[in-house]
Amino acid sequence: MASTKSVSRGQGQNAVAAAAYRAGDKLLDEDKEHGKTHDYEKRSGVLSADIILPTALAGGDIGRSELWNMAERNETRKNSRVAREWLIALPHELSEQDRKVLAHDFARTLADRYQVIADCAIHVPTAKEIERGASPLNFHAHILLTTRTATIDDDGKIYLTKDKADSEISDDDRRKKGLPRMSAEIKTVRELWEHTANKVLEAKGHHLIDSRSYKSQGIDLVPQIKMGKDATHMERKGIPTEKGRFNREIIQSNELVWNKHLNDNQKTNAKADRTIADLRESKLFIVPAVPKPNFKERKVSDVDLARAYDTANRLKNIKLDREKAQQAEQERLRQKQIADAAQKKQEQLEQEKREQQQRREQIRERIAMETRQFNQHYKQLAQQLIKFDKPHLQKIDPNSEFGKHLVAIVAADTLMRELTRYQRDPSTTKHQRELAEIQYERLGNTLIAQSQSALDSSKSTRQSMTQKEYTAALKGVFDAMVPEHKQNLTQTQQERLQSVSSALNDHSYDINRSRSRGLGFQI
């Protein structure tokens, strides 16, 4: 067995905790917000745990706590992969030291292949696990690899770079680098483990292992299904499970098929032996004698073999049906997830729409309230009495035609001044300033129109003294209000106001000039 999986934050996992558990060590997670101590020193079954550096970092040194805290710090995303684990089954035929050397050699092979640092922990089955039904031959190694490449500086300090290891990049990035897909890479690593282990097994005279599936080897055996922790726990307690019964039937069927496979191989080997013997006797081909394997042939009747094949086919069909059912269930769950996501998105859109509508209603209510407040304030301003503070204005009859125009001018000027103060008030809202600006522009039009009317009224007066008083009063008002409002009016209003002001000045000049000539004639 040689399998791999990632240690991911997205699954709630942590590199420091994973390393502490596999090594049976006590490590402090140095994260400021979620850091804590992971203490597994009392864990049994850990034969050894060692940091394995790539060959390029030979001579360097780094502690387990420093390494995996660095691995955590170098990953910033909340769903980052913080480590990769390879789990390998160590041959029980080897000695404890040979298993350790083999595991370390393979760990260094992975470290060199990806230029990462490995943390290799070798586990042995404990007496408690064996009592619960675990195999006493379950020797295995957990090899944790960093997800980023490692290097060493001039001071001999080891650190992890920002570069992802080739085992952690996407298939698209692997293709850009001329590498095969990750699924092919996993198959290659399994073959590496096969070759690494077989060198030791062959040197020690043991049977070799094969990383290929039964189907790839041409052996008609049915793989057992995965039990899972719940079914395994129940079986160890002596409680039969459906998965356990299914696997027991597979074992019985495979035993018969395997014996038939060995029997066929034995017949093939015997035929080859006879051919070699004939060649040796005829001296046409000299082949050194080899020791014959100690194979005890087990007779398998045709009935047993047929029953085994029937059972195997039945189990294959059952397994195929289960796989189809699982695929159908996965597809159902996928469709349900899509439907749930679509429904959730629709609900979010409806909620956003309701919230948007609610905000619009609130804005409308606020604007309506601010409008009412402005109208009430403006109404109060408009109801105030208009006072003529200047002496020359007090001589004007407010009920005369000119007086009415002058009253309207002074009223507009007063309201415009009040609106200017109202706009500058910090408590005035933006909408109320806009309303005041609109009303200010309307009053500006009124002021200009009444000024033109007052000027026309003054010109139409027959009595020269009255005309002079009207003109002086109008000019006095103009001189006081034009500088106040000139910059606040629109460009068009400014031009109109300037036109009235020029006409008023010309009329005032004409009156004074005419009076001067009249005085000179009398003298």
Side-chain angles (χ1 to χ4, degrees):
M1 180 189 68
S3 62
T4 184
K5 64 180 180 180
S6 60
V7 179
S8 172
R9 286 181 186 158
Q11 301 295 326
Q13 298 168 330
N14 176 277
V16 179
Y21 178 77
R22 286 154 180 77
D25 204 350
K26 181 179 180 180
L27 302 179
L28 171 63
D29 185 353
E30 298 173 358
D31 183 78
K32 294 181 179 180
E33 295 182 3
H34 309 290
K36 65 177 182 179
T37 299
H38 303 279
D39 188 359
Y40 295 100
E41 289 184 324
K42 295 182 180 180
R43 186 173 187 266
S44 58
V46 180
L47 183 64
S48 65
D50 300 277
I51 301 296
I52 308 296
L53 300 176
T55 305
L57 304 186
D61 183 58
I62 189 170
R64 178 171 290 110
S65 179
E66 180 185 359
L67 172 64
W68 295 113
N69 273 290
M70 188 189 305
E72 281 287 338
R73 286 195 302 271
N74 278 21
E75 303 297 340
T76 56
R77 294 185 294 109
K78 62 180 180 181
N79 60 343
S80 293
R81 291 193 299 270
V82 292
R84 175 165 293 278
E85 179 184 35
W86 274 94
L87 176 62
I88 56 174
L90 299 173
H92 64 85
E93 299 91 344
L94 299 178
S95 66
E96 179 179 308
Q97 182 60 28
D98 288 339
R99 286 194 293 268
K100 183 175 182 179
V101 172
L102 174 59
H104 284 192
D105 285 346
F106 184 63
R108 186 168 289 103
T109 298
L110 294 177
D112 287 340
R113 185 176 182 85
Y114 304 119
Q115 288 302 302
V116 297
I117 300 177
D119 191 352
C120 181
I122 299 176
H123 291 186
V124 298
T126 63
K128 187 175 182 180
E129 290 173 341
I130 296 173
E131 288 177 2
R132 292 186 301 180
S135 170
L137 308 179
N138 184 24
F139 302 100
H140 58 276
H142 296 267
I143 304 175
L144 277 183
L145 304 176
T146 59
T147 59
R148 297 186 182 271
T149 59
T151 188
I152 189 169
D153 59 19
D154 295 337
D155 297 329
K157 182 175 178 58
I158 293 175
Y159 64 93
L160 299 178
T161 71
K162 297 298 182 181
D163 298 328
K164 281 282 191 180
D166 288 343
S167 59
E168 305 306 315
I169 60 179
S170 66
D171 283 341
D172 288 340
D173 290 337
R174 288 181 64 85
R175 185 174 63 254
K176 293 176 183 177
K177 298 180 69 172
L179 300 173
R181 296 173 65 89
M182 192 57 195
S183 57
E185 175 69 11
I186 292 175
K187 183 178 179 181
T188 300
V189 173
R190 288 171 58 86
E191 292 173 353
L192 279 175
W193 166 242
E194 173 192 334
H195 298 154
T196 305
N198 281 342
K199 286 181 182 179
V200 180
L201 291 170
E202 185 178 13
K204 299 295 181 178
H206 299 298
H207 295 294
L208 305 184
I209 63 174
D210 197 323
S211 64
R212 296 175 299 168
S213 65
Y214 290 144
K215 183 177 181 180
S216 299
Q217 298 178 55
I219 303 175
D220 193 16
L221 297 179
V222 180
Q224 296 182 39
I225 63 173
K226 185 175 181 179
M227 291 285 290
K229 64 178 182 179
D230 294 334
T232 301
H233 186 65
M234 293 176 66
E235 289 283 343
R236 288 177 178 177
K237 283 188 170 184
I239 304 174
T241 63
E242 180 65 20
K243 291 182 179 179
R245 183 191 64 78
F246 188 76
N247 278 343
R248 284 188 285 274
E249 287 188 23
I250 291 177
I251 293 172
Q252 293 174 2
S253 174
N254 284 346
E255 185 178 1
L256 294 174
V257 175
W258 183 251
N259 281 323
K260 178 63 170 57
H261 174 73
L262 293 178
N263 189 35
D264 292 342
N265 284 349
Q266 182 65 17
K267 290 178 180 179
T268 302
N269 292 337
K271 184 178 180 180
D273 289 342
R274 288 194 298 271
T275 302
I276 293 172
D278 292 341
L279 292 173
R280 187 180 292 113
E281 289 178 1
S282 63
K283 298 183 180 180
L284 295 175
F285 184 63
I286 300 176
V287 180
V290 295
K292 293 185 177 181
N294 184 18
F295 171 67
K296 295 181 180 180
E297 183 178 354
R298 178 177 175 181
K299 296 295 181 181
V300 180
S301 67
D302 292 339
V303 175
D304 290 338
L305 190 59
R307 185 169 63 252
Y309 280 125
D310 288 341
T311 303
N313 290 331
R314 180 174 61 83
L315 295 175
K316 286 181 181 179
N317 290 333
I318 292 175
K319 187 176 181 182
L320 183 61
D321 292 341
R322 287 189 175 187
E323 290 175 351
K324 289 181 179 179
Q326 289 176 352
Q327 292 175 356
E329 179 64 15
Q330 290 175 355
E331 179 62 21
R332 186 189 69 80
L333 292 175
R334 190 180 72 85
Q335 294 296 336
K336 185 176 183 300
Q337 288 175 350
I338 293 174
D340 291 344
Q343 182 180 357
K344 184 177 180 181
K345 185 176 181 180
Q346 182 63 30
E347 291 175 352
Q348 289 178 344
L349 291 175
E350 292 177 355
Q351 178 64 22
E352 291 175 359
K353 187 176 180 180
R354 287 193 296 269
E355 292 176 354
Q356 188 177 17
Q357 182 65 26
Q358 185 178 5
R359 287 194 296 270
R360 283 198 291 263
E361 290 293 336
Q362 292 174 349
I363 292 173
R364 278 197 290 267
E365 291 177 0
R366 177 178 58 80
I367 289 176
M369 179 188 67
E370 292 176 358
T371 301
R372 288 194 300 271
Q373 292 175 346
F374 172 79
N375 291 336
Q376 183 178 3
H377 177 72
Y378 183 75
K379 184 178 180 181
Q380 291 175 353
L381 292 177
Q383 290 176 349
Q384 293 179 0
L385 295 176
I386 304 301
K387 297 180 180 179
F388 296 108
D389 297 329
K390 302 296 182 181
H392 63 276
L393 296 179
Q394 295 175 357
K395 299 178 181 180
I396 304 300
D397 181 8
N399 295 320
S400 64
E401 180 183 356
F402 176 82
K404 293 179 180 178
H405 292 311
L406 191 63
V407 169
I409 293 171
V410 174
D413 171 61
T414 304
L415 288 174
M416 290 170 73
R417 292 173 185 270
E418 291 295 330
L419 286 177
T420 300
R421 283 193 287 270
Y422 178 76
Q423 287 180 301
R424 294 172 182 172
D425 191 329
S427 63
T428 303
T429 66
K430 179 181 178 181
H431 176 65
Q432 289 171 338
R433 290 191 182 95
E434 293 173 351
L435 293 174
E437 185 176 352
I438 294 172
Q439 193 62 42
Y440 187 94
E441 185 175 351
R442 292 173 181 170
L443 289 170
N445 291 332
T446 300
L447 183 144
I448 295 169
Q450 292 294 336
S451 297
Q452 183 64 51
S453 298
L455 179 60
D456 294 340
S457 177
S458 175
K459 289 180 179 180
S460 63
T461 302
R462 297 288 182 178
Q463 298 180 359
S464 59
M465 186 59 66
T466 303
Q467 188 180 76
K468 181 181 178 182
E469 290 178 354
Y470 284 177
T471 303
L474 183 59
K475 192 172 185 309
V477 170
F478 251 70
D479 290 343
M481 73 178 183
V482 168
E484 178 72 23
H485 305 300
K486 184 176 181 181
Q487 300 300 324
N488 296 329
L489 294 173
T490 66
Q491 183 65 31
T492 302
Q493 288 177 328
Q494 290 181 26
E495 293 174 356
R496 291 173 58 197
L497 187 63
Q498 183 62 37
S499 177
V500 174
S501 179
S502 298
L504 177 60
N505 289 332
D506 292 344
H507 179 59
S508 176
Y509 176 77
D510 290 342
I511 291 175
N512 293 331
R513 182 180 177 187
S514 174
R515 185 168 181 270
S516 297
R517 284 202 302 266
L519 291 174
F521 176 77
Q522 290 176 356
I523 292 173

